[in-house]
């Protein structure tokens, strides 16, 4: 599975990047809470899933702890 994370400041082009990735065949999710990333990965990683490319947009303006992002992705 190909898993891309797009993040940045407001006006930095996250939405544009996600739209381009979607056009390239990626399943895109924007502003998913960090606490839901594990469950999201479980759902898309099932053996019968047709999803092979995923892009996740994370907004740095929210009150999420980005130290948790690294922990969750590991």
């Amino acid at each position: 599975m190909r898993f891309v994370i797009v993040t940045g400041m407001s006006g930095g082009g996250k939405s544009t990047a996600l739209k381009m990735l979607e056009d390239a065949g990626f399943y895109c999710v924007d502003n998913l809470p960090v606490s839901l990333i594990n469950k999201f990965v479980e759902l898309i990683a099932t053996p019968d899933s047709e999803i092979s490319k995923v892009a996740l947009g994370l907004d740095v303006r929210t009150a999420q702890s980005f130290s948790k992002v690294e922990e969750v992705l590991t």
Side-chain angles (χ1 to χ4, degrees), residues 26-71:
F26 279 77
Y27 181 85
C28 297
V29 177
D30 198 7
N31 293 323
L32 184 70
V34 174
S35 60
L36 295 178
I37 294 175
N38 279 336
K39 190 63 172 176
F40 175 69
V41 171
E42 283 178 32
L43 292 171
I44 61 173
T46 59
D48 58 339
S49 176
E50 297 178 11
I51 299 171
S52 62
K53 298 188 296 186
V54 175
L56 182 61
L58 298 177
D59 194 337
V60 297
R61 294 175 295 163
T62 61
Q64 303 179 79
S65 169
F66 278 88
S67 60
K68 284 193 153 197
V69 173
E70 184 178 356
E71 178 183 318

Side-chain angles (χ1 to χ4, degrees), residues 1-24:
M1 173 178 302
R2 185 119 190 239
F3 197 91
V4 175
I5 295 178
V6 179
T7 189
M9 298 294 289
S10 177
K14 290 185 312 292
S15 296
T16 302
L18 286 173
K19 287 176 187 175
M20 291 174 57
L21 287 165
E22 189 171 33
D23 289 344

